[in-house]
Amino acid sequence: WRSAQGCQRAIRYVIAGMLDGEAAARAEGRDVRGLLFLGLYKDQPAEELQTIVNAVLRLRQRWLDERRPEVTRLAGLDSLGEEGTFDPRSQLAIFQQAHAAGLPVVFHLGERWAPGKLLEKLQDMDALVDAGLLMTLTSPLALLVDAGTLRADLYPDDAKERIATSTVFAPWLKQL
C-alpha cells in the first residue's frame, strides 16, 4: 500500500468479500466464518510497518466505535517472511502497540535457523515471551528439536544443555 487509506480500503474489500462468501455458504446450508490476519513482512522498513499498523488500528477503532460487525473479522497481525537474520526485537515496538490496542499478534518464528544457530533462534523467541507478545507462535519447529540429537560438531554438550533448558524450549516440551 502506498497510503494508510489504501491499506484501510484493502482491508474493507477483503472483509466485505469474506462476508459475501459467508452469506453464499449459508444459502447453501454451510457454516463458514472468515477471519483476517494481516501479514506484515519481516523485511519491511519499520516506518512502513508503523504506517500500516496505525491505519489498521484507526480502522479497527472506528469499527468498534460504530459497533460494526466487521471488527470481529479483523483477527490480528502476523509477522511473515524469511527469518534469516531477522531479529524480532527490531519490530517489537510496533507489534507491542498493536497488542496494547487489543489486536492479537502472531509470529511465524522458529521455522528455520542457520546451522549451529538454534540457541540464537530460541533466544529470539524468548525475547517475544519477555515482551508479553507471544500469544501465538506459528510453525515453532525450534521448540520441537530434541537437543540430544543435534550434531556434536555444531553443538557441543554445553550448547545442547542450554538449548534443552532454555526458558522457551523446556516448558513447551514438557507439555507434549
Side-chain angles (χ1 to χ4, degrees), residues 40 49-50 52-54 56-57 60 76-78 91-105 133 135:
L40 303 176
L49 291 177
Q50 188 65 66
I52 292 168
V53 169
N54 288 344
V56 169
L57 293 177
R60 182 176 180 273
L77 300 178
D78 193 354
Q91 298 175 352
L92 200 55
I94 296 166
F95 284 103
Q96 285 175 320
Q97 174 191 4
H99 179 68
L103 200 57
V105 174
L133 269 182
M135 298 182 324

Side-chain angles (χ1 to χ4, degrees), residues 2-174:
R2 300 211 189 291
S3 68
Q5 294 80 16
C7 173
Q8 291 177 348
R9 186 173 37 253
I11 291 170
R12 286 193 306 268
Y13 289 156
V14 169
I15 292 178
M18 284 191 307
L19 294 172
D20 289 347
E22 290 173 13
R26 275 193 305 279
E28 296 174 5
R30 294 182 292 151
D31 186 22
V32 175
R33 181 174 163 82
L35 297 174
L36 174 63
F37 275 89
L38 186 62
L40 303 176
Y41 286 101
K42 291 173 172 59
D43 62 355
Q44 278 183 281
E47 60 275 0
E48 286 181 21
L49 291 177
Q50 188 65 66
T51 297
I52 292 168
V53 169
N54 288 344
V56 169
L57 293 177
R58 281 193 306 274
L59 178 62
R60 182 176 180 273
Q61 188 58 54
R62 187 168 59 239
W63 284 349
L64 283 169
D65 292 345
E66 296 171 2
R67 300 185 189 278
R68 299 205 29 183
E70 292 94 331
V71 74
T72 63
R73 306 314 170 88
L74 185 54
L77 300 178
D78 193 354
S79 174
L80 305 172
E82 179 58 42
E83 291 183 44
T85 60
F86 174 70
D87 179 355
R89 292 167 282 257
S90 67
Q91 298 175 352
L92 200 55
I94 296 166
F95 284 103
Q96 285 175 320
Q97 174 191 4
H99 179 68
L103 200 57
V105 174
V106 301
F107 272 84
H108 278 76
L109 191 63
E111 295 172 285
R112 298 174 67 184
W113 55 93
K117 301 294 184 183
L118 176 57
L119 184 58
E120 288 84 351
K121 184 57 61 180
L122 292 168
Q123 289 167 338
D124 287 347
M125 296 161 82
D126 203 24
L128 296 176
V129 171
D130 288 346
L133 269 182
L134 196 55
M135 298 182 324
T136 303
L137 183 63
T138 55
S139 303
L141 301 177
L143 297 177
L144 305 175
V145 173
D146 178 352
T149 65
L150 296 171
R151 290 177 33 194
D153 61 320
L154 295 175
Y155 298 96
D157 288 341
D158 66 318
K160 289 180 184 181
E161 178 64 24
R162 289 186 7 233
I163 289 167
T165 59
S166 74
T167 57
V168 173
F169 186 78
W172 288 43
L173 185 59
K174 289 177 186 172

